[in-house]
Amino acid sequence: MADILDIAKRRGFFWQSSLIHGGIAGFYDYAHLGTAMKRKWENLWREFFIGLDENFYEIEPSVVMPENVFKASGHLKHFVDPVVKCKKCGTPERADHIMESFLGESFEGLTAEELTKLIKKHNVKCPKCKGSLEKAGVFNMLFPLNVGAGKSVAKAYLTGETAQGVYVNFKLEFDALRRKLPMGIAVIGKAFRNEISPRNAIIRMREFNQAELQIFFDPDTITEHPRFKEIQNYKLLIRPVKNKKSGKVNEILCKDVVSKMKLPKFYVYYMAKAQQFYLDILQIPKKKFRFRELSEEERAFYNKYHFDVEIDLDTLGGFREVAGIHYRTDHDLKGHQEVSGEKMVVNLDGKNILCHVLELSFGVDRNIYALMDISFREEKNRTVLSFPGPVTPIDVGIFPLVNKDRLPEKALEIKNILRGSGLSIFYDDSGSIGRRYRRMDEAGTGLCITIDHQTLKDKTVTVRDRDTMKQIRVKIDKLEKAIKDLIGNDIKFEKAGKPIKPKTSKAS
Ligand code: GAP
């Protein structure tokens, strides 16, 4: 992890926020490369998931919401983590996390009482000072706010999940979108949780980014999905509850998930789509991906079915949650109806329906971290982030071989030619060419274009592949298409131009 954090800071992916003032735990800023990568991830997510149905849309609700929203959602009562304090140094810690690091298994979902018993039984001490621990209690993670001044001050909270911004808008959107079901409303935005012990950089923060899609549907139609046939023979990678001990991942056809695991087709269809997003769009290796079925105790308080998407991360020692597929039933709309008095039931063709919700919930930051973890490689002479083409922060680096002989002017001319292409480009003319390649390897830039003396003679440039360090020569007028084909994985590197025989130079 230290290597990832080092490269994140050195190259400009992310770092702790307000660092010059010492920072606060759990808050991070995205720097220029991290921001570019995050935008790309969000656009891929947007295109893929909102593109799944013509009645899916994106909105941008406020993150500050009145107290009643969280009474209605159940967050004021249930959005709690078990906390335990050290009697000696006073440090608070997540009680389940202390047990997890002590016994090496997950204790998520256990009550404070159960955790207190376990801590006693195993005589677990404070990880910081080895002092004795108090009884475990609970801690609400919502961030409270006082909005306004004097008598008109109103109690509000920063939202703990983007989902609530969708539920409070359900009726207005349903009417504005011409009253059709299923209706999908997505939000890519901020969520806030006063985590007891934020840790692992952008994996567990107090302010973080979520991409969530809430699909409202008639519960009577849950056993069907009009496009289920397309995925019925697609294999899902699932670690069911019964394999908790062995950790074994079963490869199981979607139609068998329906018949054997008794999950409804509507739910399984979206599990398949989530897996395809990871394997096909983000190009996560199959062996590093799994759905983990959560037991009843582990499930979030609002979920009837709950499978987490997990990715195997070397730097965190195993599979970690990055997303979740949640069947929230009518939990939220019912709650908002009760507390607000506003009717959430809709009438479609004479039928009164209180919609159920299937939620696809992704943590953007954890996905960015996971991509960095999976792509990180250390070789003899270099460190490389081998990002998949669609998420590289910079598509191409452009360099003049030397800073003279009109090569910089030619390089800038080529940069201008590519400017309108939609490619993200980085121009660099400082330092040796070898150093410039190394910098781009650490930024994860897939391709580097070098303009040399031959360019002036035959209008060709060198294109270097980050992962193999192989080089080809490509004609300037074919450059844009060649780059786009290479980023899209539509062509083999050697076929995109004329291969150059490798030299044993350090600058490769
Ligand atoms: N709306 C449902 C919901 O919020 P969740 O499992 O609590 O469900 C969804 O969160 C995703 O948000 C998680 O899978 C994770 O990727 C991300 N996430 C949750 N808490 C986080 C935190 N403190 N820091 C960074 N990401 C977090």
Side-chain angles (χ1 to χ4, degrees):
M1 182 166 226
D3 290 335
I4 302 255
L5 297 190
D6 175 58
I7 211 168
K9 193 165 172 194
R10 195 153 36 82
R11 288 286 160 238
F13 283 90
F14 58 79
W15 43 61
Q16 205 181 353
S17 78
S18 308
L19 253 187
I20 57 165
H21 295 287
I24 330 177
F27 296 89
Y28 276 78
D29 290 346
Y30 279 93
H32 68 286
L33 290 182
T35 303
M37 188 171 169
K38 180 170 165 286
R39 294 272 178 276
K40 284 198 175 175
W41 188 95
E42 288 169 351
N43 283 334
L44 289 170
W45 186 93
R46 192 175 265 127
E47 214 174 285
F48 185 86
F49 287 103
I50 300 183
L52 289 178
D53 190 300
E54 64 281 1
N55 202 31
F56 287 3
Y57 297 89
E58 182 180 356
I59 65 167
E60 212 176 305
S62 171
V63 293
V64 176
M65 304 177 95
E67 187 167 37
N68 274 352
V69 168
F70 303 103
K71 267 190 195 151
S73 68
H75 281 78
L76 277 179
K77 199 164 165 197
H78 301 292
F79 200 46
V80 289
D81 270 343
V83 62
V84 69
K85 239 164 87 185
C86 172
K87 284 182 186 164
K88 197 170 146 197
C89 70
T91 307
E93 260 290 349
R94 278 267 300 258
D96 52 338
H97 287 176
I98 287 200
M99 283 310 304
E100 186 176 332
S101 44
F102 192 74
L103 290 181
E105 56 180 285
S106 169
F107 290 90
E108 208 178 321
L110 260 61
T111 63
E113 292 73 37
E114 288 165 334
L115 287 160
T116 302
K117 276 189 196 153
L118 275 174
I119 287 170
K120 252 196 179 156
K121 182 175 160 198
H122 295 278
N123 194 22
V124 182
K125 299 284 181 202
C126 169
K128 229 177 173 182
C129 73
K130 304 284 168 245
S132 301
L133 298 169
E134 288 178 358
K135 269 187 179 173
V138 287
F139 177 78
N140 192 295
M141 287 191 285
L142 286 177
F143 275 110
L145 293 172
N146 286 321
V147 178
K151 273 191 181 162
S152 64
V153 79
K155 189 124 199 224
Y157 293 87
L158 290 172
T159 193
E161 54 169 0
T162 66
Q164 294 307 321
V166 175
Y167 304 141
V168 296
N169 282 298
F170 165 72
K171 266 307 267 302
L172 290 166
E173 281 294 349
F174 185 72
D175 288 337
L177 284 171
R178 314 191 41 204
R179 310 177 60 80
K180 274 194 292 187
L181 291 178
M183 175 178 84
I185 304 288
V187 175
I188 300 179
K190 295 273 187 193
F192 302 83
R193 297 182 189 176
N194 197 0
E195 296 280 354
I196 297 161
S197 38
R199 61 177 67 188
N200 296 332
I202 59 172
I203 287 283
R204 186 174 297 282
M205 293 191 283
R206 289 176 165 143
E207 175 191 359
F208 57 100
N209 297 277
Q210 290 186 316
E212 296 193 306
L213 173 63
Q214 314 297 323
I215 306 168
F216 299 91
F217 63 97
D218 176 352
D220 290 344
T221 63
I222 195 167
T223 51
E224 289 305 326
H225 190 285
R227 305 182 75 168
F228 188 80
K229 268 210 170 116
E230 290 170 23
I231 53 98
Q232 63 179 348
N233 291 318
Y234 180 72
K235 282 183 185 162
L236 293 180
L237 301 157
I238 299 180
R239 199 237 63 185
V241 170
K242 66 177 171 37
N243 290 4
K244 185 174 176 180
K245 278 250 148 69
S246 68
K248 187 172 174 280
V249 174
N250 297 342
E251 274 201 57
I252 168 161
L253 295 174
C254 284
K255 60 183 180 198
D256 293 338
V257 176
V258 173
S259 61
K260 294 184 182 148
M261 295 186 76
K262 307 283 177 236
L263 287 171
K265 284 184 182 170
F266 196 76
Y267 185 87
V268 175
Y269 178 80
Y270 287 102
M271 284 179 85
K273 290 294 145 188
Q275 181 171 308
Q276 286 170 355
F277 177 67
Y278 277 98
L279 302 193
D280 304 343
I281 306 292
L282 298 181
Q283 300 166 31
I284 301 293
K286 202 171 147 191
K287 64 176 191 321
K288 287 198 168 264
F289 175 96
R290 74 178 188 189
F291 282 110
R292 182 170 76 90
E293 184 186 15
L294 274 75
S295 65
E296 206 171 329
E297 310 81 65
E298 288 173 318
R299 269 179 238 154
F301 63 89
Y302 42 73
N303 280 335
K304 181 164 173 192
Y305 303 135
H306 187 161
F307 284 70
D308 276 343
V309 171
E310 294 189 335
I311 298 186
D312 192 3
L313 302 179
D314 287 343
T315 56
L316 293 176
F319 279 95
R320 294 289 148 155
E321 172 196 348
V322 294
I325 316 296
H326 309 151
Y327 173 35
R328 297 177 70 131
T329 68
D330 57 4
H331 169 87
D332 299 274
L333 289 188
K334 206 158 129 195
H336 286 294
Q337 179 170 270
E338 275 165 22
V339 175
S340 68
E342 188 82 25
K343 209 169 144 213
M344 291 292 153
V345 173
V346 295
N347 188 284
L348 272 191
D349 304 323
K351 184 178 178 190
N352 281 332
I353 303 168
L354 181 58
C355 287
H356 281 207
V357 171
L358 196 152
E359 175 186 61
L360 309 182
S361 173
F362 296 71
V364 180
D365 318 281
R366 288 192 187 180
N367 275 271
I368 298 297
Y369 184 88
L371 284 162
M372 290 185 77
D373 173 293
I374 288 176
S375 307
F376 184 87
R377 256 191 10 236
E378 224 148 26
E379 294 176 1
K380 201 171 155 213
N381 290 320
R382 63 177 193 152
T383 304
V384 193
L385 284 171
S386 292
F387 292 131
V391 292
T392 49
I394 301 170
D395 293 318
V396 271
I398 298 189
F399 320 135
L401 181 66
V402 287
N403 239 330
K404 56 183 183 182
D405 304 336
R406 294 194 51 76
L407 295 186
E409 287 80 356
K410 192 70 191 168
L412 286 168
E413 193 186 308
I414 291 170
K415 183 181 172 215
N416 271 336
I417 294 173
L418 293 177
R419 185 167 268 165
S421 62
L423 294 165
S424 47
I425 299 166
F426 182 78
Y427 176 83
D428 190 2
D429 59 11
S430 58
S432 74
I433 191 74
R435 281 216 170 162
R436 281 180 266 169
Y437 283 151
R438 298 289 171 270
R439 280 202 288 264
M440 287 290 96
D441 290 339
E442 291 195 351
T445 306
L447 300 165
C448 289
I449 296 170
T450 303
I451 285 75
D452 54 18
H453 294 95
Q454 195 179 326
T455 309
L456 304 178
K457 286 185 216 149
D458 67 2
K459 297 187 182 155
T460 65
V461 294
T462 300
V463 178
R464 171 194 180 262
D465 176 54
R466 174 197 61 207
D467 296 342
T468 59
M469 294 194 281
K470 284 183 181 166
Q471 300 191 357
I472 50 176
R473 282 204 86 88
V474 179
K475 289 212 157 120
I476 295 171
D477 58 3
K478 302 250 165 64
L479 194 56
E480 181 179 336
K481 182 167 180 333
I483 294 168
K484 286 189 171 164
D485 286 347
L486 288 169
I487 290 172
N489 251 342
D490 297 333
I491 191 170
K492 276 201 149 179
F493 184 71
E494 289 81 357
K495 299 270 177 219
K498 199 168 161 209
I500 301 175
K501 279 209 179 124
K503 281 188 222 146
T504 43
S505 124
K506 275 188 241 145
S508 59

